[in-house]
Amino acid sequence: MGLTAVIFLLVLASRHQPTAGVGHDPLLVVDDYEDGGIRLKCLSERLFSEAQLLWTDSRGDNITGTPLSADTGTAGVSSSIVLKAGSGNSMSCRILDKQLKTSTESSVAIADAFFPSTSPWLAAFVVILLLSIFLVLAAIYKIRSNNKEITRAQNARKQIEQDIDELKRKLDEQKRRFEKENEDAEKRIENVRNELKFRKARSNAVNITLDQTCKHPNLCISDDKRRVKSSDKKETALKAMVVATEGFPDKKHYWEVEVGNQSQWELGVVSENVRDVIMNNMGISPPVNGLFSLQYSQGKYILTGREDVSDCKQCSVVGVLLDVESSELSFYSVEEMSPLGSVVLEFTGKLYPFFSPDSSGKWLGVRPVKPQTYDPLPQGEKEINE
């Protein structure tokens, strides 16, 4: 409405008078925006028997408008044309009556501001918008690509961590297996060494007999002088002992004692001085100095002057090795062929084996040992022993 009103005023200001005859001037109407310009309509209510409508621009050039239309009933004429920016911005509509030789004309001038135009900033805005869209799409694509790369990297890292954990687990299993195998091998080597020492000790076997004249009054000796037991079923001190007839001033000597399942006993050697004390005073306990032994009591093995030294299970046969030259007294479990412990000797003169059973009345006896010759080990076992 504003555009039409402004242009209508311009039309009124630029009207021309007719060149001849009497009649109404043509009416110029702004119709609408069309095809990048403004459509103008030229209307006339004059009665023309034969009329011609012409459009001319600001330079006076004729411009073809819509085909001339004539209504025979009213003899009115009309035409339209699209005025575009840059064509002079003014247009004239002239109607010629060929019979009366008259003409009427109306003109209009439209400022450039009323024409639709594209702002130069619009193109820049469109370019920037398209570039922004492209950058956003590129950023989205890059982010997705990065996310995929990150996901792949995380999956790869997770897989690597799983592989590392699996490798650690396998290494731990191998380590435990190796440690167990190594421990088993060390045990086998230790068993071989112990068996070797036991066999070497057994090669020094000697015959032992009990001395009837050197025993506690509550002890009873068998006729073969190899076994001893308590004749008094009452609880007696462990030092109720019997000493062997044989005394050893040097070299190595080995013997075995059947202790059975007695709850407590004591085996070992005494010095010559202690033997003399026992022989002269049978009713008293022997002195501690000069007595070296292994005692079994309440499920524990106790060496002279020491606490419990072994967790070995109770054995029924004990081997005793007296090494006078090395001043050492060693004890062995014959069934296991393993050592129970050893005692360092400090003495003068001869050493005599002694035996002290419990008060159960069960026999404790010396078991004959056939002297054995030591067979050299094969090369492999020699290396183990070394």
Side-chain angles (χ1 to χ4, degrees):
M1 290 295 293
L3 175 61
T4 305
V6 172
I7 297 175
F8 183 69
L9 293 176
L10 294 174
V11 170
L12 293 179
S14 59
R15 288 173 58 186
H16 295 276
Q17 296 297 325
T19 56
V22 180
H24 298 287
D25 295 327
L27 177 64
L28 283 174
V29 179
V30 177
D31 189 13
D32 200 357
Y33 289 108
E34 182 178 335
D35 195 19
I38 299 175
R39 176 169 291 280
L40 300 177
K41 287 185 178 180
C42 183
L43 305 175
S44 176
E45 295 179 357
R46 294 182 63 181
L47 299 177
F48 295 116
S49 58
E50 185 176 357
Q52 181 181 6
L53 191 150
L54 298 177
W55 291 96
T56 58
D57 58 14
S58 58
R59 296 185 296 272
D61 298 330
N62 292 329
I63 299 175
T64 303
T66 58
L68 177 64
S69 63
D71 188 343
T72 56
T74 61
V77 292
S78 65
S79 179
S80 66
I81 195 171
V82 176
L83 179 63
K84 293 186 177 183
S87 59
N89 295 9
S90 64
M91 190 66 63
S92 298
C93 176
R94 177 182 295 181
I95 298 177
L96 301 176
D97 189 336
K98 295 181 179 180
Q99 293 180 356
L100 299 178
K101 304 298 183 182
T102 63
S103 68
T104 58
E105 181 179 352
S106 296
S107 299
V108 65
I110 301 175
D112 290 335
F114 294 99
F115 286 92
S117 62
T118 301
S119 173
W121 294 103
L122 180 61
F125 173 75
V126 172
V127 173
I128 293 174
L129 178 62
L130 294 177
L131 182 60
S132 300
I133 294 174
F134 172 77
L135 292 177
V136 170
L137 294 177
I140 294 174
Y141 174 78
K142 185 63 176 177
I143 291 173
R144 289 184 176 179
S145 300
N146 291 341
N147 289 337
K148 291 181 179 179
E149 291 294 332
I150 292 173
T151 302
R152 283 196 293 268
Q154 291 176 345
N155 293 335
R157 180 179 179 181
K158 184 177 181 181
Q159 184 62 40
I160 292 174
E161 290 176 351
Q162 292 177 351
D163 293 341
I164 292 175
D165 292 339
E166 180 67 16
L167 181 59
K168 287 182 178 179
R169 184 185 63 81
K170 291 182 178 179
L171 289 176
D172 290 339
E173 290 180 355
Q174 292 180 356
K175 181 180 179 180
R176 288 192 296 269
R177 185 167 58 252
F178 173 77
E179 289 176 350
K180 185 177 183 305
E181 292 175 354
N182 187 50
E183 182 178 354
D184 293 341
E186 289 179 352
K187 288 182 179 179
R188 289 194 297 270
I189 292 173
E190 186 66 22
N191 291 337
V192 170
R193 288 175 176 172
N194 292 335
E195 183 178 352
L196 177 62
K197 290 180 180 180
F198 174 75
R199 291 183 181 277
K200 284 183 177 181
R202 224 167 181 238
S203 65
N204 299 287
V206 294
N207 292 322
I208 300 294
T209 57
L210 305 181
D211 190 351
Q212 184 73 32
T213 62
C214 189
K215 72 177 183 66
H216 193 278
N218 291 338
L219 297 181
C220 177
I221 298 176
S222 63
D223 294 338
D224 61 1
K225 297 182 179 181
R226 291 184 176 274
R227 295 178 296 166
V228 62
K229 67 178 181 179
S230 175
S231 59
D232 187 355
K233 296 297 182 67
K234 296 180 180 179
E235 193 72 24
T236 60
L238 282 176
K239 299 306 180 182
M241 65 176 63
V242 59
V243 180
T245 304
E246 294 80 11
F248 307 105
D250 54 14
K251 298 183 180 180
K252 295 180 181 180
H253 309 277
Y254 175 86
W255 61 93
E256 292 180 354
V257 184
E258 292 181 345
V259 296
N261 60 352
Q262 294 190 25
S263 60
Q264 56 184 6
W265 44 260
E266 188 172 5
L267 307 172
V269 295
V270 294
S271 65
E272 192 169 0
N273 293 335
V274 174
R275 177 180 178 274
D276 293 340
V277 171
I278 295 174
M279 185 176 293
N280 296 327
N281 301 281
M282 294 184 181
I284 66 173
S285 297
V288 176
N289 294 331
L291 187 148
F292 312 97
S293 67
L294 172 69
Q295 178 182 346
Y296 178 79
S297 178
Q298 298 180 351
K300 295 181 179 181
Y301 293 98
I302 302 175
L303 293 170
T304 299
R306 301 172 63 180
E307 297 297 327
D308 178 25
V309 295
S310 177
D311 294 328
C312 297
K313 64 180 181 180
Q314 183 179 6
C315 57
S316 60
V317 182
V318 177
V320 183
L321 175 65
L322 173 61
D323 188 349
V324 180
E325 296 176 353
S326 300
S327 298
E328 185 177 36
L329 181 66
S330 301
F331 300 91
Y332 295 88
S333 170
V334 176
E335 297 97 325
E336 301 292 333
M337 291 187 292
S338 61
L340 297 174
S342 60
V343 179
V344 177
L345 303 175
E346 295 180 0
F347 68 99
T348 58
K350 294 182 180 181
L351 291 173
Y352 293 83
F354 81 89
F355 311 87
S356 178
D358 64 7
S359 60
S360 64
K362 297 179 181 179
W363 289 103
L364 184 150
V366 178
R367 188 174 76 169
V369 180
K370 183 178 180 181
Q372 298 179 353
T373 58
Y374 169 67
D375 297 328
L377 291 173
Q379 184 65 29
E381 295 187 4
K382 285 184 179 180
E383 294 176 354
I384 290 176
N385 185 48
E386 292 174 355

